[in-house]
């Protein structure tokens, strides 16, 4: 059973460009979470999704950030008009429906905004 | 709101030394508690968990006990190895959204 997959692993964007981060959950997992890790800090929750539904987006910045988890395909975290402060590691986690407290993390996407 | 506080690092130990990393939490209700480990350049791996008071989670020689009276979940290992060098995160789950709230992490460096 493959783990949570994220791509790209590293992404460089200039200020003002768009960043798209992808996450494929583990097989059988229907819950997806996105977290952001700023340098030398812990992870901060951003958004929790189930297939075609956003369940909790209380950690998402109000502007420029959006997330989706379509019926088919990976979950996408989209950042429009990136700024230097968006530089961070973005981690995706997934959990099975029968045990949503047990989250398995992907390797992360390290976004650098130049 | 709910929060997790961890001891600041780095923690530097010699191989075979005893490890304790302190973690305390603030929460309404009865959260589940977790320890995650992050090796350099990698994502987080679930190390152990406890879902109710007095539960002891254990894995790979690490253990932690959910102490409701002291709101603590300290991580311990009797004899650390160089390969245990990593950043350790304490976390709690919150509410019906299951989101994790993390501490700031504690870096452990084990010297041969």
């Amino acid at each position: 059973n493959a783990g949570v997959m994220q791509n790209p692993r590293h992404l460089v964007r200039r200020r003002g460009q768009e960043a798209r981060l992808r996450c494929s959950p583990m097989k059988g997992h229907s819950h997806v979470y996105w977290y952001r890790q700023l340098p030398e800090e812990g992870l901060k929750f951003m958004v929790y999704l189930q297939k075609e539904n956003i369940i909790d987006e209380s950690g998402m910045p109000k502007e420029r950030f959006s997330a989706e988890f379509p019926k088919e395909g990976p979950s996408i975290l989209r950042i429009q008009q990136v700024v230097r402060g968006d530089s961070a590691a973005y981690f995706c986690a997934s959990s099975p429906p029968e045990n949503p407290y047990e989250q398995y993390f992907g390797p992360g996407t390290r976004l650098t905004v130049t | 709101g709910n929060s997790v506080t961890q001891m600041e690092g780095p923690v530097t130990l010699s191989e075979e030394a005893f490890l304790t990393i302190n973690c305390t939490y603030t929460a309404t209700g009865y959260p589940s508690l977790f320890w995650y480990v992050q090796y350099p350049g990698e994502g987080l791996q679930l190390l152990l968990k406890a879902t109710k008071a007095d539960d002891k989670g254990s894995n790979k020689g690490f253990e932690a006990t959910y102490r409701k009276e002291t709101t603590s979940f300290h991580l311990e290992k009797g004899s650390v190895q160089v390969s245990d060098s990593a950043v350790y995160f304490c976390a709690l789950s919150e509410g019906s959204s299951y989101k994790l709230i993390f501490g700031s992490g504690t870096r452990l460096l084990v010297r041969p």
Side-chain angles (χ1 to χ4, degrees), chain A residues 2-9 21-26 29 31-37 43 89-95 102-110, chain B residues 36-46 89 100 102:
Chain A
V4 177
M5 300 179 69
Q6 291 188 248
N7 67 80
R9 293 291 306 274
L21 288 63
R22 294 175 186 78
C23 168
S24 296
M26 288 178 69
H29 286 193
H31 298 221
V32 166
Y33 310 79
W34 285 93
Y35 294 84
R36 177 165 63 175
Q37 185 178 33
L43 280 73
Y90 292 83
F91 290 96
C92 169
S94 71
S95 63
E102 199 159 307
Q103 297 181 23
Y104 296 84
F105 282 77
T109 294
R110 279 157 181 81
Chain B
Y36 281 84
V37 58
Q38 185 179 31
Y39 298 100
E42 298 185 11
L44 275 70
Q45 299 176 24
L46 178 63
F89 292 95
L100 292 172
F102 286 89

Side-chain angles (χ1 to χ4, degrees), chain B residues 17-18 22 27 34 40 44 50 53 57 59 62 73 82 88 91 93 105 107 110:
Chain B
F18 183 86
N22 289 340
F34 306 85
L44 275 70
N59 186 26
F62 292 90
F73 193 55
V82 173
Y88 292 81
S93 64
R107 184 176 301 277
V110 181

Side-chain angles (χ1 to χ4, degrees), chain B residues 8-99:
Chain B
E8 287 192 23
V11 173
T12 303
L13 296 172
S14 298
E15 203 164 24
E16 299 184 2
F18 183 86
L19 167 71
T20 299
I21 299 179
N22 289 340
C23 170
T24 57
Y25 67 91
T26 302
T28 53
Y30 303 97
S32 293
L33 302 174
F34 306 85
W35 277 100
Y36 281 84
V37 58
Q38 185 179 31
Y39 298 100
E42 298 185 11
L44 275 70
Q45 299 176 24
L46 178 63
L47 182 59
L48 53 84
K49 66 178 181 180
T51 57
K52 61 183 187 297
D54 300 325
D55 266 4
K56 177 185 281 189
S58 60
N59 186 26
K60 300 180 182 178
F62 292 90
E63 58 182 35
T65 301
Y66 189 144
R67 301 283 188 202
K68 186 171 182 297
E69 62 277 11
T70 55
T71 62
S72 64
F73 193 55
H74 305 321
L75 181 68
E76 296 181 336
K77 187 175 185 183
S79 176
V80 293
Q81 305 300 313
V82 173
S83 57
D84 293 327
S85 298
V87 180
Y88 292 81
F89 292 95
C90 184
L92 65 81
S93 64
E94 178 185 64
S96 58
S97 79
Y98 313 116
K99 65 185 179 186

Side-chain angles (χ1 to χ4, degrees), chain A residues 40-53:
Chain A
E40 303 302 319
E41 292 188 14
L43 280 73
K44 304 291 186 191
F45 168 79
M46 299 181 75
V47 62
Y48 162 42
L49 310 105
Q50 296 178 18
K51 286 284 187 181
E52 299 185 283
N53 282 307

Side-chain angles (χ1 to χ4, degrees), chain A residues 80-95:
Chain A
Q80 295 178 289
Q81 299 176 326
V82 295
V83 300
R84 288 221 172 107
D86 296 333
S87 295
Y90 292 83
F91 290 96
C92 169
S94 71
S95 63

